[in-house]
Amino acid sequence: MSDEVYSQLMKELSEGKYVFTGELEPEKAGDVEEPIKAARELVGLVTACNVTDNPQSFAYVSSLAAAYKIQLETGMECIYQLRCADRNRSALLSDILGAGVLGLKNILALTGDHVALGDTPDAKPVYDLDSTTLIALIRRVVDEGKDLAGNEIHNPPKLHVGAAAAPGAAVLKAEIAKVKRKIKVGAEFIQTQVVYKTEVLDRFFKELGKVDVPILVGIFPAKTYAQADFFDKYVAGVDVPPDYLQHMKETKAIKDKEKRKEEVDRVNIEFFTEFLEHLKDTPAAGCHIMAVGYPRIIPALKKVME
Amino acid sequence: MIAQEQKPIEEILGYLEGKQKVVVMGCGGCATFYHTGDKKAVRDMGERLRKEGKEVTEIVLPLGISACEIDMSSKFLEKKRKAVENADALLMMSCGDGAQVIADYIEKRIGATVAVVPANDALGLVGGGPKKFKETCQMCGQCELGKTVGICPLTACGKGLMNGPCGGVREDGKCEVDPEKDCAWVKIYERMEKLGELDKFTEMRDPHAWSRAKRPRLFEIEEPVKPVSAILGSLPSYLTLFTGPKYEEEE
Ligand code: SF4
Ligand code: SF4
């Protein structure tokens, strides 16, 4: 792997700067107005934004097209998410090359939730590659100018590749071994699944030991009680602390909309100040803030880390 | 074995609409184990179709004679050659393989073209029994078991990953795709751990080579088995069945 840096994200990470990233979700629509609007609100608050690729296997605007448009129109650097669920290795290669052509610089390589769990459950699941072999493919394209079959690629793209990790994985030792495998094949940064509990994070870092790629810890300040409750109930490996959940629940009783917003912000700032203070004592290189459509909370979070 | 289930009768009747003379043929192989093509299934289907006013001819294959093994199954088909030649449809109570092997024989060797209709849905290559069966191999053509301590990553993993587990493993180590099933990659990890081979786990396994699954796959063997002598030759081994320990199915 070369030490060359192609993106702002990798530049800041390699300089040891504490990095914040955000998240943008293309929708089931014929345009990307919403994520562009959201990106504009995040400019200046985060270094780069992930653009999700059919999260939970709901089919939306292609993350490649969306990331290109967002980057072009808002200047926000994008981390293009790419899943193995819907594309075979040829289609993945085409999209990787396409990403280079469109000026994208970062890819987050994901396996992807099973298509049967999404909104088009009769679709044929692909999984020709998995997150590990997708990372290997991207590295091979960028570093060697070759695809998996060994075919030469003329003028290969300059891209960085990241991987996901699940600190709250039920079988942590298997997850740790897999994260190490992804680092071994060339992942250059890690973004974790959402974590709410500091003990979950501590156990993850302890088990992982020292690794030489930057890790951005996923956090999700919930804008509503329903969001927090969803994570707790339906997202594998994410446990929301009962106290936080309770405080969020109590905000539902506030009739006045403005007052409720204030109280939600207060609950989040209180909870995440403590969480981020704790984060300072971990090897985390930054924070991936997944709260979509909740940019007003970010300045307060960044202040904690200053 | 090929696990199978009979289709809803409405679907079958739909395919047979406008077809008056129907041959119903069973299978003495897998379809007999799944009660989807044994003697009783064929008789019941015959009766049901007669109630619909159809003229039915039944062909029952005895246990051990699979529809897909044409050398043997064709002998039973030939016995009803007249009915087959005059049939409007042949309802096959086997898997799709048996159905197509028989259809092919009828077309090429009997010289008739009959609409072949499936009575069953084939659900996969499974092992186990006598009551519970599990799909463990999808006959990919390039076996990976040597890299995964004997657990098929393509079949046992809900996503067919060569480098799992995915991020979706449930609290109790069950699979993201189906809470009833174990995560194959947790099982692979645990078995590697017991074998002291965890270094293999952190190694990347190359993507599976699908080129050996180019369909349809054709084969030829040099020396065909002679069914009758194979059966006779096996008799002494069958006798040991009565002397060995008894298998108990796990609950
Ligand atoms: S890898 Fe799996 S599907 Fe392929 S032959 Fe082996 S057991 Fe069967
Ligand atoms: S949970 Fe395990 S078995 Fe299920 S899809 Fe993920 S890796 Fe495969």
Side-chain angles (χ1 to χ4, degrees):
Chain A
M1 200 189 309
S2 79
D3 290 334
E4 262 180 89
V5 170
Y6 315 121
S7 72
Q8 187 63 20
L9 173 74
M10 283 313 290
K11 182 170 177 285
E12 291 185 14
L13 285 170
S14 61
E15 285 168 355
K17 221 176 136 191
Y18 201 84
V19 169
F20 288 88
T21 52
E23 188 141 310
L24 300 166
E25 290 183 350
E27 300 177 321
K28 223 180 187 70
D31 61 65
V32 281
E33 291 313 312
E34 279 304 314
I36 284 180
K37 206 175 120 216
R40 288 214 168 96
E41 292 175 342
L42 289 170
V43 171
L45 292 176
V46 296
T47 301
C49 271
N50 291 37
V51 178
T52 55
D53 177 15
N54 293 357
Q56 272 107 40
S57 278
F58 281 58
Y60 299 135
V61 174
S62 120
S63 52
L64 179 58
Y68 165 68
K69 270 286 224 184
I70 291 166
Q71 203 166 276
L72 185 75
E73 293 195 13
T74 70
M76 170 66 74
E77 180 168 299
C78 289
I79 301 168
Y80 159 45
Q81 295 196 356
L82 183 58
R83 317 192 315 153
C84 299
D86 313 313
R87 301 163 184 86
N88 70 8
R89 65 193 85 171
S90 308
L92 288 167
L93 175 69
S94 298
D95 285 353
I96 294 161
L97 298 179
V101 170
L102 295 177
L104 299 174
K105 295 293 173 207
N106 315 288
I107 301 185
L108 186 73
L110 301 170
T111 298
D113 295 332
H114 197 278
V115 296
L117 310 177
D119 69 350
T120 316
D122 280 338
K124 186 174 187 179
V126 182
Y127 302 108
D128 186 28
L129 302 188
D130 48 55
S131 51
T132 307
T133 44
L134 176 55
I135 294 165
L137 167 63
I138 296 171
R139 289 253 56 98
R140 197 137 193 234
V141 168
V142 176
D143 298 341
E144 297 170 36
K146 283 191 179 136
D147 65 15
L148 285 177
N151 302 303
E152 298 278 343
I153 293 163
H154 170 68
N155 191 13
K158 297 190 186 317
L159 292 159
H160 294 292
V161 57
V171 188
L172 188 61
K173 48 190 185 174
E175 173 67 18
I176 294 284
K178 189 186 70 173
V179 172
K180 286 186 174 157
R181 186 201 288 149
K182 293 201 270 196
I183 293 173
K184 201 161 151 183
V185 302
E188 299 168 82
F189 64 94
I190 305 273
Q191 288 178 313
T192 79
Q193 173 59 288
V194 171
V195 186
Y196 281 99
K197 291 187 164 169
T198 51
E199 57 276 24
V200 168
L201 200 60
D202 292 346
R203 204 181 51 196
F204 172 72
F205 278 123
K206 183 163 170 268
E207 293 292 318
L208 186 63
K210 208 184 140 12
V211 293
D212 53 10
V213 299
I215 298 175
L216 289 95
V217 172
I219 64 167
F220 193 103
K223 214 173 153 187
T224 60
Y225 167 70
Q227 283 183 339
D229 190 49
F230 177 85
F231 265 100
D232 194 48
K233 287 207 179 95
Y234 303 110
V235 182
V238 181
D239 250 349
V240 182
D243 276 1
Y244 174 74
L245 214 51
Q246 183 56 32
H247 291 149
M248 285 300 289
K249 196 171 185 175
E250 282 161 12
T251 64
K252 284 208 309 182
I254 305 171
K255 293 264 160 359
D256 184 78
K257 219 175 140 194
E258 279 310 309
K259 287 228 173 71
R260 188 168 63 230
K261 264 168 94 175
E262 273 171 32
E263 179 60 9
V264 166
D265 290 0
R266 196 196 60 76
V267 170
N268 276 313
I269 291 169
E270 186 181 293
F271 179 82
F272 283 101
T273 299
E274 203 176 310
F275 185 89
L276 292 173
E277 282 297 345
H278 185 88
L279 209 57
K280 287 180 182 167
D281 300 328
T282 70
C287 220
H288 178 50
I289 307 169
M290 281 189 235
V292 174
Y294 192 13
R296 66 170 192 269
I297 199 72
I298 296 178
L301 303 181
K302 285 183 78 173
K303 217 163 140 209
V304 183
M305 302 312 282
E306 270 162 16
Chain B
M1 231 179 291
I2 313 295
Q4 47 200 280
E5 236 172 41
Q6 195 177 99
K7 285 178 175 289
I9 188 70
E10 300 75 33
E11 186 184 344
I12 298 173
L13 292 177
Y15 297 134
L16 294 176
E17 217 177 278
K19 317 268 188 218
Q20 178 57 20
K21 294 181 197 144
V22 180
V23 175
V24 178
M25 181 167 180
C27 166
C30 312
T32 286
F33 285 88
Y34 287 92
H35 308 295
T36 50
D38 58 347
K39 186 171 170 184
K40 183 170 182 303
V42 172
R43 297 281 183 249
D44 289 351
M45 182 61 77
E47 207 170 297
R48 181 71 180 75
L49 297 182
R50 277 184 204 101
K51 265 195 206 142
E52 296 292 321
K54 303 200 184 285
E55 291 167 47
V56 181
T57 305
E58 293 158 10
I59 303 177
V60 173
L61 300 189
L63 178 66
I65 308 293
S66 305
C68 60
E69 207 281 289
I70 200 67
D71 192 30
M72 295 292 275
S73 57
S74 61
K75 296 191 167 59
F76 294 82
L77 192 65
E78 289 288 356
K79 282 194 191 158
K80 300 278 165 81
R81 189 174 179 122
K82 266 257 110 48
V84 172
E85 280 170 345
N86 293 321
D88 299 316
L90 175 82
L91 180 65
M92 275 307 294
M93 301 193 75
S94 65
C95 70
D97 183 35
Q100 295 180 76
V101 166
I102 295 291
D104 207 43
Y105 184 89
I106 293 173
E107 189 143 50
K108 295 199 179 117
R109 309 285 288 275
I110 298 187
T113 302
V114 178
V116 173
V117 168
N120 301 333
D121 289 319
L123 301 172
L125 176 69
V126 299
K131 282 171 107 172
K132 291 183 184 158
F133 299 85
K134 188 169 155 196
E135 184 182 26
T136 54
C137 171
Q138 53 180 276
M139 302 166 288
C140 71
Q142 179 68 51
C143 194
E144 305 280 8
L145 290 179
K147 299 176 193 162
T148 52
V149 286
I151 296 169
C152 174
L154 304 176
T155 312
C157 166
K159 296 177 183 170
L161 306 180
M162 288 299 293
N163 296 281
C166 71
V169 191
R170 292 168 195 258
E171 289 307 311
D172 50 359
K174 297 284 177 185
C175 172
E176 166 186 305
V177 191
D178 186 341
E180 299 290 311
K181 295 168 193 159
D182 293 325
C183 167
W185 278 98
V186 168
K187 291 279 157 208
I188 292 170
Y189 184 93
E190 288 169 353
R191 195 178 282 177
M192 283 185 175
E193 193 174 34
K194 280 188 199 149
L195 292 168
E197 294 179 6
L198 276 180
D199 48 324
K200 270 194 194 166
F201 192 88
T202 15
E203 283 302 318
M204 181 185 92
R205 277 150 292 271
D206 283 338
H208 179 74
W210 288 103
S211 52
R212 298 220 44 200
K214 261 192 267 124
R215 289 184 161 136
R217 293 177 274 188
L218 305 172
F219 296 96
E220 203 170 325
I221 44 174
E222 298 229 321
E223 219 171 295
V225 169
K226 293 187 184 71
V228 179
S229 47
I231 292 169
L232 288 178
S234 304
L235 280 181
S237 327
Y238 279 117
L239 292 177
T240 61
L241 276 180
F242 302 101
T243 55
K246 199 174 166 318
Y247 165 79
E248 301 269 357
E249 191 166 13
E250 190 187 328
E251 255 328 295

